[in-house]
């Protein structure tokens, strides 16, 4: 069987991690890598024992994305450039009919959303959204319980993504500040990890948003981004979703929390101070008390797979689903539409915060009244 030739653009920490996991999959070949910083290829980097050039001697390295396309004969490109510059790389690949796995958020503004949507419509290749939290155990069980009717219809949901940040601690500072996008990205724009899982059980888009930012308090010596941002969204049918995201804060807590209130039950994943735990209860069961389930990310399907690595196994699951879809021609595991539905609310929320919480109506490229104006 012909191997699927993949390339990675953006060899920061994330691009390197995904390449290392992708090579564990069958029938997949790491054909090419591209970064404008050659040191990411030729020098030993964080969490590696050797340079990538030594670890993958058969892989070709390019400093130019265009040159990689011209020479590497790729079937797939994995886009791992900074979080605010994915779309231009995805559009180029789609125009050349090369399949794409795009990290999230998919786009940085509404014009990019339009361009990417049009490029995907014209292309014979697929673009899949690299939303790894959609593979976590919580999302899998949420969908299972929802489909069984245990939760009924969700009417209120909340999520928070509080990334630890300790300004004065050398070993921990990197995660919020180690790349340009981490320094510059407005916190609420990184909403995809939170909204993605919740949107899998909503049969409609988020339509309205109001958002506020706190201003800069936790550490005033470098940039002026809001430390915390709080958004409330509503769907056309009236489902309310609340989201809190941090830029900086002094809480050494992690990470991803979710709560779902449904007409027949309740479900949550909480990891504020303890080992992450999923709890649920349902009026549809004989025992209606709150039950606990292990809340680690590892998707149940991959529990016995020793290769299932990366963010507790969800990176492996995401790559496995993606490459199987390419091999079997079954379409994107997480579509561009799903990706934009979890990405655009952050763009509108940022604008709402700039307008002191003004309620904005959100549009998507598949809407009849779509426009790139807000
Ligand atoms: N889903 C997750 O769990 C998760 C976790 C962390 C990061 N991410 C995503 O991964 C992506 C990368 O994150 P990171 O922390 O590795 O970022 P990073 O800034 O460390 O790496 C990005 C790399 O892209 C390269 N680059 C920029 N412009 C380029 C160009 N024109 N051509 C080729 N290379 C170019 C940069 O030189 C850099 O090495 C981001 O989009 C982020 O959202 C996802």
């Amino acid at each position: 069987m012909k191997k699927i030739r993949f390339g990675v653009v953006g060899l920061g920490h994330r691009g390197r991690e995904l390449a290392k996991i992708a090579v564990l999959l069958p029938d997949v070949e790491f054909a090419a890598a591209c970064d404008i910083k050659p040191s990411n290829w030729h020098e030993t980097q964080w969490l590696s024992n050797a340079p990538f050039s030594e670890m993958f001697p058969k892989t070709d390295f390019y400093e130019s994305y265009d040159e990689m396309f011209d020479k590497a004969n790729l079937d797939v490109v994995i886009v791992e450039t900074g979080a605010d510059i994915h779309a231009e790389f995805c559009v180029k690949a789609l125009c050349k009919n090369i399949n794409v796995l795009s990290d999230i958020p998919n786009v940085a503004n509404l014009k990019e959303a339009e361009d990417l949507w049009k490029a995907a419509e014209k292309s014979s290749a697929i673009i899949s959204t690299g939303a790894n939290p959609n593979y976590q155990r919580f999302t899998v069980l949420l969908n299972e319980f929802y489909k069984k009717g245990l939760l009924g219809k969700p009417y209120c949901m909340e999520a928070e993504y509080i990334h630890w940040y300790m300004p004065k601690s050398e070993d921990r500072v990197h995660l919020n500040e180690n790349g340009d996008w981490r320094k510059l990205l407005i916190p609420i724009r990184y909403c995809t990890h939170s909204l993605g899982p919740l949107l899998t059980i909503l049969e409609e888009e988020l339509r309205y948003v109001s958002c506020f930012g706190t201003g800069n308090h936790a550490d005033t010596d470098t940039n002026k981004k809001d430390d915390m941002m709080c958004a409330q969204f509503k769907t056309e049918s009236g489902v309310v979703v609340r989201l809190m995201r941090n830029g900086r804060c002094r809480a050494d807590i992690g990470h991803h929390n979710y709560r779902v209130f449904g007409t027949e039950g309740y479900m949550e994943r909480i990891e504020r101070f303890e080992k992450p735990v999923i709890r649920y209860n349902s009026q549809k069961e004989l025992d209606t008390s709150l039950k606990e389930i292990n809340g680690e990310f590892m998707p149940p399907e991959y529990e016995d797979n020793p290769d299932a690595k990366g963010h507790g196994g969800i990176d492996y699951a995401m790559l496995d689903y993606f490459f199987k879809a390419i091999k079997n021609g079954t379409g994107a595991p997480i579509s561009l539409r799903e990706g934009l539905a979890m990405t655009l609310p952050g763009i509108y929320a940022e604008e709402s915060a700039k307008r002191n919480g003004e309620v904005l109506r959100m549009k998507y490229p598949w809407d009849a009244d779509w426009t790139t104006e807000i």
Side-chain angles (χ1 to χ4, degrees):
M1 149 127 210
K2 181 185 169 297
K3 289 196 169 186
I4 299 169
R5 291 172 61 79
F6 80 87
V8 177
V9 60
L11 283 180
H13 171 56
R14 180 87 179 138
R16 295 192 305 272
E17 276 306 291
L18 287 193
K20 282 197 275 186
I21 297 170
V23 295
L24 302 174
L25 295 165
D27 307 323
V28 163
E29 181 182 348
F30 185 15
C34 170
D35 200 300
I36 47 174
K37 286 186 207 152
S39 56
N40 277 341
W41 184 253
H42 295 292
E43 293 169 20
T44 303
Q45 300 294 343
W46 187 49
L47 295 183
S48 282
N49 298 323
F52 255 46
S53 53
E54 286 175 19
M55 290 166 68
F56 301 104
K58 291 186 180 156
T59 305
D60 294 319
F61 174 73
Y62 299 90
E63 283 180 53
S64 151
Y65 190 55
D66 289 332
E67 194 188 343
M68 177 168 83
F69 278 145
D70 290 343
K71 297 191 176 157
N73 191 22
L74 296 179
D75 301 305
V76 160
V77 65
I78 300 177
V79 175
E80 293 302 335
T81 46
D84 46 356
I85 53 166
H86 293 150
E88 59 182 284
F89 297 94
C90 298
V91 167
K92 266 194 184 172
L94 289 169
C95 290
K96 292 179 187 290
N97 297 318
I98 292 168
N99 301 294
V100 186
L101 180 66
S102 163
D103 214 312
I104 40 179
N106 299 67
V107 296
N109 55 55
L110 298 185
K111 176 71 174 65
E112 282 189 358
E114 182 169 290
D115 292 345
L116 188 57
W117 186 252
K118 284 184 180 162
E121 277 185 330
K122 278 196 209 136
S123 182
S124 61
I126 63 162
I127 172 166
S128 190
T129 299
N132 52 352
N134 280 31
Y135 295 92
Q136 63 173 303
R137 185 188 303 267
F138 169 75
T139 318
V140 174
L141 295 180
L142 178 66
N143 277 266
E144 191 182 311
F145 294 177
Y146 174 67
K147 281 178 194 144
K148 282 185 187 158
L150 294 179
L151 303 175
K153 183 177 163 13
Y155 57 88
C156 185
M157 308 204 268
E158 76 169 6
E160 62 183 37
Y161 175 16
I162 308 298
H163 209 310
W164 44 257
Y165 170 71
M166 298 173 76
K168 303 291 180 242
S169 164
E170 278 295 311
D171 61 331
R172 302 209 105 188
V173 83
H174 64 267
L175 266 173
N176 265 3
E177 301 283 299
N178 76 336
D180 287 347
W181 72 269
R182 289 183 201 271
K183 286 191 192 118
L184 299 174
L185 195 71
I186 301 300
I188 203 70
R189 291 254 301 277
Y190 211 63
C191 58
T192 44
H193 292 347
S194 310
L195 297 180
L198 298 181
L199 284 170
T200 58
I201 60 159
L202 276 189
E203 281 143 28
E204 55 188 336
E205 290 91 9
L206 301 173
R207 273 295 159 201
Y208 302 93
V209 59
S210 168
C211 180
F212 290 101
T214 59
N216 187 227
H217 306 277
D219 185 357
T220 52
D221 58 0
T222 47
N223 73 50
K224 298 286 171 219
K225 274 193 323 191
D226 285 313
D227 292 330
M228 308 291 290
M229 295 186 84
C230 301
Q232 305 221 49
F233 303 96
K234 200 170 87 159
T235 69
E236 208 67 82
S237 80
V239 181
V240 173
V241 178
R242 189 169 81 160
L243 168 64
M244 179 151 67
R245 269 293 292 125
N246 75 313
R248 295 167 166 217
C249 66
R250 295 201 181 267
D252 187 16
I253 59 170
H255 247 106
H256 301 281
N257 296 301
Y258 308 88
R259 302 171 88 194
V260 174
F261 298 82
T263 51
E264 301 291 343
Y266 167 75
M267 187 164 177
E268 67 178 17
R269 177 187 191 272
I270 302 291
E271 66 167 318
R272 284 197 180 104
F273 302 103
E274 75 266 35
K275 212 170 147 51
V277 72
I278 294 168
R279 299 185 188 89
Y280 85 98
N281 70 317
S282 172
Q283 297 305 309
K284 295 278 184 183
E285 292 187 333
L286 280 176
D287 174 3
T288 57
S289 64
L290 204 59
K291 296 165 203 71
E292 272 194 22
I293 303 170
N294 161 19
E296 301 290 347
F297 283 157
M298 179 62 79
E301 191 186 342
Y302 290 88
E303 250 160 2
D304 299 326
N305 186 333
D307 286 341
K309 295 178 181 146
H311 287 103
I314 55 177
D315 292 340
Y316 183 91
M318 175 182 76
L319 290 164
D320 188 37
Y321 268 83
F322 175 69
F323 281 107
K324 276 185 185 147
I326 299 294
K327 206 182 320 182
N328 301 329
T330 47
I334 302 180
S335 68
L336 177 60
R337 181 168 172 147
E338 288 169 279
L340 293 177
M342 64 178 94
T343 296
L344 298 198
I347 292 170
Y348 284 99
E350 178 190 1
E351 184 60 29
S352 168
K354 279 187 198 153
R355 299 186 198 178
N356 196 28
E358 183 183 329
V359 177
L360 299 176
R361 186 169 190 282
M362 301 188 282
K363 294 174 185 165
Y364 299 87
W366 49 91
D367 289 336
D369 60 349
W370 163 254
T371 163
T372 57
E373 303 295 313
I374 301 185

